[in-house]
């Protein structure tokens, strides 16, 4: 599980070293937006979803991390 949290940092460093700073910034901002809105949905139960509390916030963070890893791999392979 900890590798999911370490992989984005490693991929950001690799992409920065190749000069892709703007792309990594945009992807990181999108990840933060996904995490924030997912956390609000989990805590408040918006859109008819049940209030899931801490477990829901963990799922939101996990989804945001999976997004950033997939997007960074796409950037890394295409560039």
């Amino acid at each position: 599980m900890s590798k999911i949290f370490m992989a984005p940092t490693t991929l950001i460093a690799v992409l920065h070293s190749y000069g892709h700073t703007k792309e990594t910034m945009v992807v990181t901002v999108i990840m933060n937006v996904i995490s924030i809105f997912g956390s609000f949905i989990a805590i408040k139960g918006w859109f008819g979803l049940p209030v899931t509390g801490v477990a829901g916030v963990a799922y939101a963070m996990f989804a945001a991390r999976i997004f950033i890893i997939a997007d960074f791999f796409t950037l890394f392979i295409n560039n």
Side-chain angles (χ1 to χ4, degrees):
M1 183 69 170
S2 65
K3 291 179 179 146
I4 290 176
F5 292 103
M6 296 285 295
T9 306
T10 306
L11 292 171
I12 287 171
V14 170
L15 288 169
H16 276 184
S17 68
Y18 284 109
H20 299 288
T21 55
K22 184 177 180 182
E23 293 89 348
T24 56
M25 180 193 65
V26 169
V27 172
T28 304
V29 167
I30 293 170
M31 182 209 64
N32 288 333
V33 169
I34 291 171
S35 178
I36 290 168
F37 281 123
S39 296
F40 278 129
I41 290 170
I43 293 170
K44 299 291 185 181
W46 290 347
F47 307 113
L49 295 172
V51 175
T52 54
V54 176
V57 172
Y59 289 136
M61 179 60 75
F62 183 73
R65 291 289 176 155
I66 293 298
F67 164 77
I68 197 170
I69 290 170
D71 203 13
F72 279 153
F73 272 126
T74 305
L75 282 172
F76 190 70
I77 290 171
N78 290 336
N79 291 320

